[in-house]
Amino acid sequence: MPLVPPYIESLRAYEPGRSIEEVQRTCGLSRVSKLASNENPLGPSPRAIESIGRCMSGLHLYPNSGLDLRRVLAENFEAKIENVIAGSGSESIISNIIRTFLGDEDEVLTTEAAFVGFQILAKSRGVAYRTVPYRDWHYDLTALAAAINERTKIVYLANPNNPTGTIFSKHEFDEFYRHVPERVLIILDEAYFEYAKDTPRYPDSMHYRYDNVITLRTFSKVYGLAGVRIGYGFAHERLITNLLKVKLPFEPGSLAQAAGIGALADKEFVHRSLELNARGLKFLAEGLRGIGLTVIPSEANFLMVVLPDAPQATRLTADLVTRGIIIRPLASFGLPNCVRISTGSDEDNQRVVEEIQKLQVGLETRA
């Protein structure tokens, strides 16, 4: 028996996007726009920062495992505290779901090129990982329902989806759910929920309180708290009870919990963030399509651009870095001919369109 299981040996570690400091250092640049990681260009919620400040004097004490945040979330979403879990980002909760519910003979089912963080966590369990193709860059829920078999334990759905930015509708989800056995656990990853929630056809999973559905959300995006790692989930009491047995004892940390509680009260910051994002999505989509690129309509805080082939996607990413703009290549997701561009400040958005427009002639010449 090998020291490292083959399914771990074959995994590729998660590769975060390049940092501003790294690009400044390696490229000798003073001005860098990071549009790679779907971060909030306004920074963190001011109320979250204030809440962290009030918590600093208690850092010598162990956290209470997110109990305070769970209580506030339960009040805000009209749930019981027994239906809420908090963790170090939604990925932490995904990891606990996989550890808690997957047996050796079980299978995981999702779309091809799903969120790469989920891909890594699911494959690290060493069980069968099956996918169905996208349909026009959307989850094909009909095909997913047909692919469920007697070994399927978890179906992972991200809505909006990362990296495509697309959503599935209420009708599509209702029809899908009709074909899902009660023994199958559905993870509804709503990391970008706030950006899509006002879309009339969007199925807010809090309206689908089924016993086999787990809702996951995060403070990393619209609340601007990616750096403190805080996420949460809602599910049936029985599911949460078992997840609490597996999670790390003192997760999340005190500062992260305080930040989450403060951010939930910061309605004005969320409003400003959504306004900026809507303006950015429109500008980027129109600008990039105007120079001949294929842009997938998005309900999140980023756009996916489809290039003719993988070399052009790689080249565009590399050329933009030399010009002080970081975007996300999607080869690690399983989409080597695609890139993802986050919305930024108005200035950043204008800058990336202008720089890509300058590069287009060069890209076409070298294609």
Side-chain angles (χ1 to χ4, degrees):
M1 182 178 295
L3 177 63
V4 180
Y7 55 85
I8 298 295
E9 193 78 63
S10 63
L11 275 180
R12 181 177 176 180
Y14 180 80
E15 297 176 12
R18 299 181 69 177
S19 69
I20 292 174
E21 294 74 19
E22 177 195 352
V23 172
Q24 286 176 327
R25 184 177 64 254
T26 58
C27 297
L29 300 168
S30 58
R31 178 187 179 190
V32 173
S33 300
K34 187 183 178 190
L35 302 176
S37 300
N38 307 338
E39 296 151 336
N40 192 327
L42 293 179
S45 153
R47 288 203 177 188
I49 295 175
E50 293 172 6
S51 187
I52 288 174
R54 291 191 294 270
C55 184
M56 294 290 284
S57 62
L59 292 185
H60 60 297
L61 303 173
Y62 283 105
N64 65 1
S65 298
L67 185 62
D68 296 339
L69 177 58
R70 291 172 64 205
R71 186 176 293 113
V72 172
L73 286 165
E75 292 172 358
N76 280 19
F77 290 95
E78 298 181 349
K80 295 187 299 182
I81 193 170
E82 291 83 4
N83 297 123
V84 187
I85 190 169
S88 299
S90 53
E91 293 95 333
S92 171
I93 304 174
I94 291 174
S95 177
N96 288 329
I97 292 170
I98 288 167
R99 292 171 58 205
T100 303
F101 298 108
L102 279 179
D104 292 342
E105 302 304 316
D106 293 332
E107 295 184 353
V108 173
L109 178 64
T110 187
T111 187
E112 65 180 1
F115 168 50
V116 69
F118 176 77
Q119 291 190 48
I120 293 171
L121 290 170
K123 292 174 182 178
S124 73
R125 180 59 179 81
V127 301
Y129 179 91
R130 295 189 298 119
T131 65
V132 301
Y134 284 120
R135 178 168 49 84
D136 191 27
W137 299 113
H138 290 70
Y139 271 87
D140 189 340
L141 294 185
T142 302
L144 278 166
I148 294 173
N149 62 33
E150 67 280 358
R151 294 177 60 188
T152 305
K153 174 61 74 66
I154 290 176
V155 177
Y156 172 82
L157 307 175
N159 202 34
N161 183 44
N162 177 15
T164 64
T166 55
I167 64 171
F168 49 81
S169 68
K170 295 176 182 176
H171 173 74
E172 289 170 317
F173 182 72
D174 288 340
E175 183 62 24
F176 165 77
Y177 189 79
R178 287 178 55 244
H179 301 280
V180 179
E182 292 181 0
R183 59 174 175 76
V184 175
L185 186 63
I186 301 172
I187 299 176
L188 275 177
D189 187 344
E190 294 181 344
Y192 300 91
F193 159 77
E194 289 84 3
Y195 300 103
K197 64 182 176 63
D198 293 326
T199 302
R201 61 192 184 91
Y202 180 74
D204 176 354
S205 67
M206 290 301 290
H207 299 154
Y208 294 86
R209 293 282 28 100
Y210 300 136
D211 291 353
N212 60 337
V213 173
I214 296 181
T215 295
L216 299 181
R217 293 181 183 169
T218 184
F219 288 95
S220 295
K221 309 304 178 185
V222 77
Y223 293 106
L225 298 178
V228 299
R229 310 308 303 130
I230 182 70
Y232 58 99
F234 300 98
H236 186 275
E237 179 178 341
R238 180 167 174 247
L239 300 181
I240 297 297
T241 297
N242 283 287
L243 284 172
L244 291 175
K245 298 173 185 176
V246 172
K247 72 184 288 291
L248 294 174
F250 298 109
E251 178 193 19
S254 300
L255 299 186
Q257 174 175 241
I261 293 171
L264 281 171
D266 207 339
K267 309 300 183 187
E268 189 273 336
F269 178 78
V270 171
H271 178 71
R272 284 196 296 122
S273 298
L274 294 177
E275 276 194 335
L276 176 61
N277 182 67
R279 191 164 67 241
L281 276 182
K282 184 174 186 293
F283 179 86
L284 286 174
E286 291 177 354
L288 295 173
R289 289 190 184 117
I291 56 181
L293 293 176
T294 300
V295 180
I296 308 306
S298 173
E299 300 286 348
N301 66 338
F302 58 84
L303 290 168
M304 190 176 83
V305 179
V306 184
L307 282 299
D309 53 42
Q312 289 198 57
T314 301
R315 191 182 309 128
L316 177 62
T317 303
D319 286 348
L320 284 175
V321 167
T322 66
R323 295 165 180 255
I325 298 173
I326 311 170
I327 63 173
R328 181 69 156 172
L330 296 177
S332 63
F333 284 70
L335 300 172
N337 64 318
C338 300
V339 299
R340 192 186 66 198
I341 303 176
S342 309
T343 59
S345 66
D346 292 333
E347 182 181 8
D348 286 336
N349 296 334
Q350 183 172 354
R351 186 172 176 226
V352 71
V353 171
E354 290 175 352
E355 292 300 337
I356 292 177
Q357 189 169 26
K358 293 175 187 176
L359 288 168
Q360 276 301 97
V361 174
L363 285 170
E364 293 166 1
T365 302
R366 291 176 285 177

